[in-house]
Amino acid sequence: MHLTKEEERLLESDTPATRKAMELLVELGDIYGAEEMVEIESAQASGISYKSIGDPGVEFLEGFAEEGAEVSVTTFANPAGMDFEQYEGMGVSEEFAEQQRRIRDALKEMGITLSFTCTPYLAGNLPHRGQHVAWAESSAVSFVNSVVGAKTNREGGPSALAAAITGRTPKHGLHLEENRRPTHRIDVDVDLDDQSEFAALGSWAGRIVEDGKPYFTGIDAATTDELKALGAAMAASGAVALHFVEGVTTDMEPPEHVDSATFGAGEREEEHAKLNDGEDPELVVIGCPHCSPEEIADVAEAVEGETLDSDLWVCTSGAVKTWADRNGHTETIEAAGGQVLADTCNVVSPIEELGYETSATDSAKAANYLPGFGNQQVVFDDKRSLVEGVIEDE
Ligand code: F3S
């Protein structure tokens, strides 16, 4: 692998963390056959929930910070295991909170922006088309590759952190234009009426294409929230990091000579049923990926003046929560008995320790992951139906 003089210097840095970061990237570059590094504009650090990394992760991050780890590009943090200000209201233990705060402090010492969100593009870190970045959370990777047109591989926690420190990543995979071509064609032959139907399509398509790059036809229009739901679902049921939606995210001609499949009304109903294995949720969670301001406003409108007979979490970034606070949406949701949580979600928080057995979600990503946590049962439906379903009868 060709290294520039600057990269050679980083490899011999007096700062142990910098040296280790560069060594890791060179090793990864050799594994993937990269010929050179590419400079990046931003990074996204994942693997920072105490639930995911436990005590060894806390000690690694603290040790790395002590060894001089410091990011050299804008680096946003993925969601943590709790809302730092409302963890008690979530039911998170003080022991968990203490370890999560140690992780936060280590990230801060490294210069990482304490954004704690999987939608950094809604919260102040929006790359532009063609920029190389090193992001790690799978739905965010999908969004910046597919909707924004930036270029990133699906990084792991350590490789994203190493890229953040050195400001570069091995140039392979989706950093190369020749690898950014559709591998499958998916013809959508049914109306997608809301965000959960985009999620169901993504969940179905991800299983078919696995780590391929699907090209969708038949979708006339999609909102930003619908596109983030589609990408998140495909990243969870498969490992899709790049997709194309004809006329919406790309002007590219449909691919020829690739495998194709059709998503019709039958597939839509079947996928919906597949994602739905519970009833009577004790907790409704909206915000996977993290909510936009519009999604929070929708929830607030649905619960205004009502009382909920289940818990409700509306998960978002701290930045978007500030807007929700200012616009009175947080107050409206809290008055109904719900919570607007920043920094976390029901997948990266210790949901299995919080007394919930059945959760409701409009996210196919969450519906794919939740059954793995203490056999959580899942109710999957669109946002409005879920919220209206837990409003107390008069
Ligand atoms: Fe984000 Fe958590 Fe969903 S990290 S994509 S809200 S599983």
Side-chain angles (χ1 to χ4, degrees), residues 78-79 118 137 139 232 287-290 344-348 363 365-366 369:
N78 205 41
C118 52
E137 194 282 316
S139 78
C288 173
H290 272 175
T344 192
C345 73
N346 55 335
V347 171
V348 297
S363 162
K365 174 174 177 178
Y369 282 139

Side-chain angles (χ1 to χ4, degrees), residues 275-286 307-313 337 346 351 354-362 370 375-392:
L275 292 166
N276 208 331
D277 69 350
E279 52 187 27
D280 300 330
E282 300 121 6
L283 172 68
V284 176
V285 184
I286 304 299
T307 305
L308 304 175
D309 59 15
S310 294
D311 291 351
L312 168 68
W313 290 1
N346 55 335
I351 189 77
L354 304 183
Y356 299 114
E357 290 178 355
T358 304
S359 306
T361 178
D362 64 339
L370 283 170
N375 295 321
Q376 292 278 312
Q377 304 227 298
V378 176
V379 176
F380 174 78
D381 209 340
D382 71 273
K383 204 182 276 95
R384 271 270 168 173
S385 303
L386 290 176
V387 173
E388 288 174 0
V390 294
I391 288 175
E392 260 183 15

Side-chain angles (χ1 to χ4, degrees), residues 44-190:
Q44 185 198 25
S46 74
I48 56 155
S49 163
Y50 177 58
K51 170 180 169 174
S52 315
I53 62 175
D55 293 335
V58 178
E59 279 150 28
F60 166 76
L61 289 172
E62 286 181 340
F64 211 41
E66 270 169 31
E67 286 183 354
E70 190 172 355
V71 300
S72 65
V73 294
T74 298
T75 303
F76 271 37
N78 205 41
M82 63 184 204
D83 180 318
F84 285 91
E85 288 171 12
Q86 302 187 83
Y87 66 90
E88 287 166 321
M90 294 172 67
V92 171
S93 70
E94 192 52 52
E95 292 73 31
F96 186 102
E98 180 51 30
Q99 297 301 80
Q100 188 64 68
R101 283 192 292 260
R102 285 176 62 187
I103 294 170
R104 176 196 61 191
D105 294 348
L107 299 178
K108 187 177 174 197
E109 205 173 323
M110 293 183 213
I112 293 174
T113 303
L114 302 182
S115 52
F116 300 118
T117 186
C118 52
T119 55
Y121 47 88
L122 297 178
N125 184 6
L126 178 64
H128 64 65
R129 187 172 181 77
Q131 270 189 345
H132 294 274
V133 300
W135 285 23
E137 194 282 316
S138 62
S139 78
V141 165
S142 172
F143 192 91
V144 286
N145 271 324
S146 312
V147 182
V148 176
K151 297 177 181 177
T152 181
N153 286 316
R154 188 167 153 157
E155 298 291 346
S159 65
L161 187 54
I165 291 167
T166 61
R168 58 252 300 140
T169 190
K171 191 172 185 182
H172 71 97
L174 295 177
H175 290 287
L176 299 171
E177 206 49 49
E178 64 263 32
N179 294 328
R180 299 178 64 89
R181 307 292 304 171
T183 58
H184 296 72
R185 174 177 165 147
I186 305 281
D187 298 312
V188 178
D189 190 23
V190 63

